[in-house]
């Protein structure tokens, strides 16, 4: 689940890398600007001080000799310099002696001038009518070391400030440009180096989450992300493999459960059938015995005689069904002995010989060589084979039935009984081996033949299945392990 306060990778890079970087740049810029400003201010102050010093000697002379004209001239020469706003000379009492430029803004009062005289050479900022002025004061000292007066040279603060504002503006523009450039570089760089690859991985994860389990991500980009993509692919493969395994296991379980259910059903039906057959055997024997005895006492070719013969024929048929039921329900342990396959085939064919001859059906493959010797309960397998052969003959009266076998490499004996009859209706395929499933009319089939065959083969550890025969009809395949456990 994505946390509500989650932020993007780009935001993280901007926040954790670029923001501190910008703070550092800002701090460095600000400190540089301060130094620059301080330097500029100092240089401007020095300029004024230089002007003051250059006129201070002639002024001192003129003051000593009391030549006001010279004083004014010296001041005027200073005033002509661009940076100078005004130049003023005061006597030792603080009285203004001469001035060049606008009236002295600060030294109107004598006391202030005197104080300035005593403090010696110094600079001072002064606010007059909302305008800042910088003044440089320099005492005018005569040869004897006595202070004769004071020189004041001023400069307009706006001069500095305009310059400083210009510098600040340029610095800010430079800083803004650098910031924008850095943001652009980081955003584009992040996208090209990491972002697009991470986006691709994230998009792939979203699609996988939606169920596209076959999806694989391509491993492009930096090594770490390539490794991540590879790990992701491995994980997806593992997930897919385990999902497939799980699915297969589930299907196997379902099939197993179905087989179990089927065999339990068969066992129950088998017990019931065997019980019923057992109970019917004795009365049928009695009916047949009585009919046989009664026959001796009736006229040949008389109606009672014909009725008794009919009774005996029907009893024989019922006896056959009872025997089949007993076969089906019999779950005696297998009595296995090594037997040659050839003998099994011969015995089974012998049992259907009459059916073959009666229907005129041709059997191919009965004269096969003796074949391998395998452990088997011959009676059970013989019954299975007889049932299959009989079904085949019934499916194609007058047609072809083929019996064949081969030893497979996996040590399984494969026996095939096929015919050129109509084949198996696809709708019936699943139910073919169910007991009592028959498509034959009453009296023709009991639906037990294939169940009996199925039981015999599976008890031998083998399998029975049906497929289409190249002859055109059905092909029943028995697979019997040659080395049973
Ligand atoms: P029954 O033969 O008594 O009907 P089976 O269990 O032997 O019982 O056979 C079940 C059904 O399988 C038959 O009714 C028939 O529809 C079908 N069947 C069996 N063998 C063949 C075959 N060789 N060709 C076509 N259908 C067959």
């Amino acid at each position: 689940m994505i946390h509500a306060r989650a932020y993007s990778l780009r935001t993280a890079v901007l926040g954790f890398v670029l923001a501190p970087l910008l703070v550092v740049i800002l701090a460095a810029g600000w400190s540089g600007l301060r130094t620059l400003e301080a330097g500029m201010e100092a240089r401007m102050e020095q300029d004024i001080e230089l002007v003051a010093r250059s006129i201070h000697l002639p002024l001192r002379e003129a003051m000593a000799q009391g030549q006001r004209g010279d004083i004014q001239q010296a001041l005027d020469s200073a005033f002509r310099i661009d940076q100078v706003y005004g130049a003023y000379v005061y006597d030792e009492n603080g009285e203004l002696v001469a001035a060049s430029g606008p009236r002295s803004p600060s030294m109107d009062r004598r006391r202030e001038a005197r104080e300035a005289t005593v403090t010696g050479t110094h600079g001072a900022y002064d606010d007059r009518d909302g305008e800042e002025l910088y003044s440089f004061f320099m005492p005018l000292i005569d040869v004897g070391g006595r202070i004769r007066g004071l020189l004041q040279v001023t400069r307009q603060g706006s001069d500095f400030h305009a310059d400083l504002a210009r510098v600040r503006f340029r610095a800010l523009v430079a800083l803004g440009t650098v910031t924008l450039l850095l943001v652009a570089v980081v955003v584009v760089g992040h996208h090209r180096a990491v972002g697009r690859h991470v986006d691709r991985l994230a998009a792939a994860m979203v699609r996988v989450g939606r169920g596209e389990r076959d999806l694989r991500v391509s491993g492009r980009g930096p090594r770490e992300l390539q490794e991540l993509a590879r790990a992701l692919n491995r994980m997806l493969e593992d997930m897919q493999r385990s999902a497939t395994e799980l699915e297969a296991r589930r299907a196997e379980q379902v099939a197993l459960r179905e087989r179990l259910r089927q065999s339990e059903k068969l066992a129950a039906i088998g017990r019931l059938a065997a019980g019923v057959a057992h109970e019917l055997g004795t009365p049928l024997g009695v009916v047949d015995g009585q009919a046989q005895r009664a026959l001796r006492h009736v006229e040949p070719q008389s109606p009672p005689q014909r009725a008794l013969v009919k009774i005996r024929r029907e009893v024989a048929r019922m006896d056959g069904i009872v025997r089949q039921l007993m076969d089906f329900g019999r779950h005696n342990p297998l009595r296995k002995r090594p037997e040659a396959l050839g003998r099994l085939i011969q015995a089974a064919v012998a049992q259907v010989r009459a059916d073959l001859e009666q229907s005129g059906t041709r059997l191919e493959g009965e004269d096969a060589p003796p074949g391998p010797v395998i452990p088997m309960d011959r009676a059970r397998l013989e019954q299975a084979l007889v049932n299959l052969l009989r079904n085949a003959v019934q499916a194609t009266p007058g047609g072809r039935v083929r019996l064949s076998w081969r030893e497979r490499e996996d040590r399984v004996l494969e026996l095939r009984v096929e015919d050129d009859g109509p084949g198996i209706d696809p709708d019936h395929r699943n139910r073919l081996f169910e007991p009592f499933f028959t498509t034959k009319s009453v009296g023709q089939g009991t639906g037990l033949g294939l169940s009996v065959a199925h039981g015999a083969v599976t008890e031998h550890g083998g399998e029975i299945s049906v497929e289409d025969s190249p002859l055109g009809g059905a092909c029943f395949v028995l697979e019997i392990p040659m080395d049973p456990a």
Side-chain angles (χ1 to χ4, degrees):
M1 195 184 80
I2 294 180
H3 197 277
R5 272 169 51 214
Y7 41 79
S8 73
L9 193 61
R10 191 178 56 191
T11 313
V13 171
L14 289 176
F16 293 118
V17 178
L18 189 63
L21 200 69
L22 283 176
V23 168
V24 170
I25 291 176
L26 217 69
W30 185 78
S31 137
L33 198 66
R34 294 294 306 156
T35 316
L36 195 74
E37 280 178 9
M40 277 177 70
E41 213 168 275
R43 221 185 58 226
M44 290 183 191
E45 287 171 12
Q46 274 168 11
D47 288 349
I48 294 302
E49 188 178 336
L50 274 177
V51 172
R53 285 196 190 284
S54 66
I55 56 168
H56 133 268
L57 273 180
L59 273 177
R60 203 167 70 173
E61 291 287 298
M63 280 294 275
Q65 288 158 23
Q67 291 168 341
R68 282 188 170 246
D70 289 353
I71 296 174
Q72 189 61 47
Q73 204 179 349
L75 288 188
D76 288 347
S77 71
F79 182 66
R80 276 196 293 276
I81 298 172
D82 262 356
Q83 295 137 346
V84 173
Y85 175 70
Y88 316 94
V89 168
Y90 306 89
D91 65 12
E92 66 266 44
N93 299 319
E95 295 291 343
L96 185 66
V97 177
S100 184
R103 246 183 88 63
S104 163
S106 58
M107 292 296 132
D108 289 353
R109 281 156 306 195
R110 301 164 75 191
R111 194 174 53 78
E112 286 171 15
R114 187 140 57 210
E115 273 171 19
T117 313
V118 174
T119 47
T121 307
H122 72 280
Y125 282 92
D126 206 351
D127 188 38
R128 178 86 16 166
D129 301 333
E131 197 179 10
E132 198 185 37
L133 279 182
Y134 173 73
S135 303
F136 183 76
F137 298 97
M138 198 170 182
L140 298 170
I141 301 165
D142 67 11
V143 231
R146 243 187 70 208
I147 293 174
R148 283 293 192 163
L150 180 72
L151 166 65
Q152 179 184 15
V153 184
T154 62
R155 175 169 193 177
Q156 249 178 329
S158 54
D159 280 1
F160 301 122
H161 294 141
D163 281 357
L164 286 181
R166 249 195 318 279
V167 170
R168 269 193 211 124
F169 177 73
R170 280 195 197 139
L172 275 176
V173 168
L175 211 66
T177 312
V178 166
T179 304
L180 283 179
L181 273 175
L182 279 179
V183 169
V185 164
V186 167
V187 167
V188 173
H190 159 265
H191 174 73
R192 289 196 57 77
V194 181
R196 57 192 173 139
H197 306 298
V198 171
D199 286 351
R200 210 182 53 242
L201 286 177
M205 287 307 280
V206 169
R207 285 172 62 189
V208 168
R210 286 207 201 106
E212 287 186 48
R213 294 285 147 87
D214 303 342
L215 192 81
R216 294 291 176 271
V217 277
S218 61
R220 273 178 284 153
R223 197 184 63 236
E224 290 86 346
L225 293 181
Q226 283 186 17
E227 275 165 16
L228 199 66
R230 274 198 292 276
L232 192 69
N233 284 343
R234 271 199 300 277
M235 192 186 79
L236 287 174
E237 262 152 37
D238 287 350
M239 266 167 61
Q240 210 169 21
R241 202 173 310 127
S242 49
T244 318
E245 273 169 21
L246 212 69
E247 192 49 49
R249 216 167 294 159
R250 207 172 298 143
E252 213 172 281
Q253 261 174 12
V254 168
L256 215 68
R257 215 173 302 139
E258 180 54 29
R259 278 216 294 278
L260 192 70
R261 207 178 59 81
Q262 191 73 11
S263 69
E264 277 171 356
K265 195 169 95 182
L266 287 183
I269 295 171
R271 278 196 299 277
L272 178 72
V276 171
H278 187 75
E279 291 303 315
L280 284 179
T282 316
L284 277 178
V286 173
V287 170
D288 192 44
Q290 292 295 326
Q292 198 176 5
R293 202 171 309 157
L295 264 175
R296 290 194 215 118
H297 305 289
V298 295
E299 291 280 313
Q301 301 304 322
S302 65
Q305 192 261 1
R306 278 200 292 276
L308 283 171
V309 169
K310 212 170 180 183
I311 286 173
R312 287 206 68 200
R313 200 166 58 231
E314 289 307 309
V315 167
R317 203 155 70 81
M318 279 157 78
D319 193 47
I321 295 173
V322 163
R323 226 172 304 120
Q324 274 193 60
L325 283 174
M326 301 271 273
D327 276 344
F328 169 66
R330 187 170 55 190
H331 279 286
N332 301 331
L334 292 181
R335 279 200 300 258
K336 283 194 197 169
R337 282 193 307 142
E339 293 269 4
L341 175 66
R343 282 204 55 195
L344 170 70
I345 292 176
Q346 273 171 18
V349 171
Q351 283 205 52
V352 294
R353 182 70 65 203
D355 302 65
L356 283 165
E357 280 166 8
Q358 208 178 342
S359 65
T361 306
R362 195 151 36 96
L363 175 67
E364 301 168 7
E366 59 173 307
D367 312 318
V373 172
I374 56 171
M376 64 169 100
D377 185 330
R378 205 188 82 191
R380 304 288 298 278
L381 284 187
E382 191 181 309
Q383 186 63 58
L385 211 52
V386 165
N387 291 354
L388 295 182
L389 284 168
R390 208 164 262 155
N391 277 343
V393 172
Q394 281 174 6
T396 175
R400 280 166 74 196
V401 173
R402 184 193 289 162
L403 179 62
S404 61
W405 59 267
R406 71 181 180 111
E407 282 179 67
R408 283 202 327 226
E409 273 179 9
D410 54 355
R411 300 285 297 151
V412 167
L413 177 74
E414 203 179 272
L415 254 168
R416 285 167 179 266
V417 178
E418 43 196 322
D419 60 71
D420 62 353
I424 310 279
D425 187 330
D427 291 345
H428 296 159
R429 246 166 226 237
N430 285 338
R431 305 191 51 207
L432 227 51
F433 298 100
E434 275 180 18
F436 307 113
F437 174 78
T438 181
T439 58
K440 294 170 190 168
S441 53
V442 180
Q444 291 292 305
T446 55
L448 287 170
L450 289 179
S451 319
V452 168
H454 180 270
V457 173
T458 48
E459 278 182 55
H460 276 81
E463 273 178 39
I464 181 166
S465 55
V466 66
E467 52 191 55
D468 292 326
S469 163
L471 297 183
C475 172
F476 284 86
V477 185
L478 309 188
E479 291 164 289
I480 300 163
M482 294 170 70
D483 312 304

